[in-house]
Amino acid sequence: MNAGVWIAIYIPLFIVIFVVLPQYFNMQRIINLKFKKKKGLMIMANEAIEKCIGKNCKISAGSYGTNIVGKIIEINENWIEVETKKGVQFINAEFVQSIGIIKN
């Protein structure tokens, strides 16, 4: 076999094994770390929201929903129970962007 055949066969294999696969595995590792951090932040968010139980608040869900003004009654897992003028509403805590306490 001449050198051209060896290059045509082994250079693409070399590129896949030593260039493409390490980048792919590194990207997968980064994505997994982001998901783990996000899961940790959700627990912290619920702990921060628990400080507002029993207070009148304005909850903003950003582009995912509307602003809700009412009294936070309870927090179960990822759901916030809010008593408003219309009645009791439930909000998914994952979509909450900000909570402001309203002073009377």
Side-chain angles (χ1 to χ4, degrees):
M1 290 190 157
N2 64 19
V5 174
W6 284 96
I7 291 173
I9 293 173
Y10 290 109
I11 290 293
L13 288 175
F14 177 82
I15 291 172
V16 168
I17 292 172
F18 293 106
V19 176
V20 175
L21 287 178
Q23 288 178 354
Y24 173 77
F25 291 130
N26 189 28
M27 188 62 73
Q28 289 294 332
R29 185 180 58 81
I30 291 170
I31 290 170
N32 288 338
L33 288 174
K34 285 185 179 182
F35 280 125
K36 287 179 183 177
K37 286 181 182 179
K38 186 175 182 181
K39 288 179 184 176
L41 288 176
M42 289 302 162
I43 294 168
M44 293 297 287
N46 286 346
E47 290 174 0
I49 295 170
E50 287 177 0
K51 294 177 183 177
C52 298
I53 292 177
K55 298 179 182 175
N56 287 330
C57 297
K58 180 178 181 181
I59 301 171
S60 173
S63 61
Y64 296 111
T66 59
N67 294 333
I68 296 175
V69 177
K71 183 178 181 181
I72 297 177
I73 299 171
E74 187 179 359
I75 299 172
N76 289 325
E77 294 180 13
N78 282 340
W79 292 95
I80 303 171
E81 185 177 354
V82 181
E83 183 179 354
T84 63
K85 292 180 182 178
K86 297 178 183 178
V88 177
Q89 294 184 357
F90 292 91
I91 304 166
N92 192 339
E94 292 180 5
F95 298 114
V96 171
Q97 289 185 346
S98 65
I99 295 179
I101 298 174
I102 300 172
K103 296 183 181 182
N104 294 345

